[in-house]
Amino acid sequence: EVKQKQQARSRSSSSNISMAPADLTADTEDHISVVPLGAGLGVGRSCLLLTVRGQTVMLDCGMHVGYSDHRRFPDFTPLLRGGGRLEGRIACVLVTHFHLDHCAALPYFTEQVGYDGPVLMTSPTRAVCPELLLDYQRVMSNKLGAKRMYTKEMIRACMRKVVTVGLGVPFRVAGLEITPYYAGHVLGAACFRIRWVGGGVERSVLYTGDYNMTA
């Protein structure tokens, strides 16, 4: 369990997260799947599904700000096939930083598509993200008349699902050990190392959104 739970967070978001080091037991699976739901061939609406050891993690959940129709969202269709709760298909959502092309689809995904699991980001990202989302919502709804746009209440409800994580501090989700690292770029930006044992060998994937080698 998360040792320090913030008052505004829902229990469902943090119930399957541990800040203790993972118990990486040997596993016979040696397969990695990466499915882009957005930004696979371009910039905007960054959103990937990473599956290892039968567990799926969503990496970023951004929006393409150049569109005001359905094209601005990642394509969540693969997650909706067959019905069932999304929390049974996605262990968590990892958000690298607060830029809209990496986080602006979160309220749509949690409050309209229906994901009720944990969303993880650093504390600075958590602080800035809702302010940018509220401004974006106002511009899209009031000036551009975008359809299916989320509301201010949805943004606040989404942010209550967020669990903050510290740079260099590993935590465990569904048997995977995840460690955020400094990525530069903007305040609070992180890359995530996801570590597990597959085929009797320790393996890891490092995911980053934007990063800066000199900052």
Side-chain angles (χ1 to χ4, degrees), residues 5-189:
K5 296 181 180 178
Q6 297 185 7
Q7 189 175 15
R9 292 174 190 155
S10 63
R11 293 183 178 180
S12 62
S13 295
S14 56
S15 60
N16 64 342
I17 302 172
S18 171
M19 303 307 289
D23 178 17
L24 298 176
T25 57
D27 190 278
T28 56
E29 293 188 32
D30 191 18
H31 179 74
I32 300 174
S33 171
V34 178
V35 178
L37 303 184
L41 296 173
V43 177
R45 62 177 190 171
S46 293
C47 187
L48 301 174
L49 297 180
L50 171 70
T51 302
V52 297
R53 294 187 61 194
Q55 299 294 335
T56 298
V57 174
M58 180 177 286
L59 305 171
D60 280 331
C61 191
M63 182 177 287
H64 197 304
V65 297
Y67 297 110
S68 59
D69 56 18
H70 70 280
R71 292 174 294 175
R72 67 185 183 274
F73 297 118
D75 182 6
F76 297 118
T77 303
L79 293 172
L80 302 177
R81 296 187 184 122
R85 293 178 60 83
L86 290 174
E87 301 76 53
R89 302 186 179 196
I90 301 177
C92 68
V93 178
L94 303 176
V95 178
T96 58
H97 63 287
F98 55 68
H99 282 159
L100 297 178
D101 56 330
H102 291 263
C103 74
L106 277 173
Y108 174 75
F109 184 55
T110 62
E111 308 311 308
Q112 293 180 266
V113 177
Y115 175 71
D116 194 36
V119 178
L120 297 108
M121 60 183 70
T122 65
S123 294
T125 300
R126 170 64 179 81
V128 177
C129 187
E131 301 305 318
L132 293 182
L133 292 178
L134 288 167
D135 182 67
Y136 179 66
Q137 187 273 340
R138 177 184 59 81
V139 171
M140 294 297 289
S141 298
N142 297 343
K143 293 186 178 181
L144 299 180
K147 297 180 180 179
R148 297 170 62 195
M149 193 63 195
Y150 42 74
T151 65
K152 295 179 181 179
E153 291 72 22
M154 289 178 181
I155 294 173
R156 297 186 181 100
C158 172
M159 288 296 104
R160 287 194 290 269
K161 296 178 173 67
V162 171
V163 178
T164 58
V165 296
L167 296 178
V169 180
F171 57 92
R172 187 176 69 244
V173 176
L176 304 175
E177 184 180 274
I178 304 174
T179 306
Y181 292 102
Y182 177 77
H185 187 52
V186 294
L187 177 67

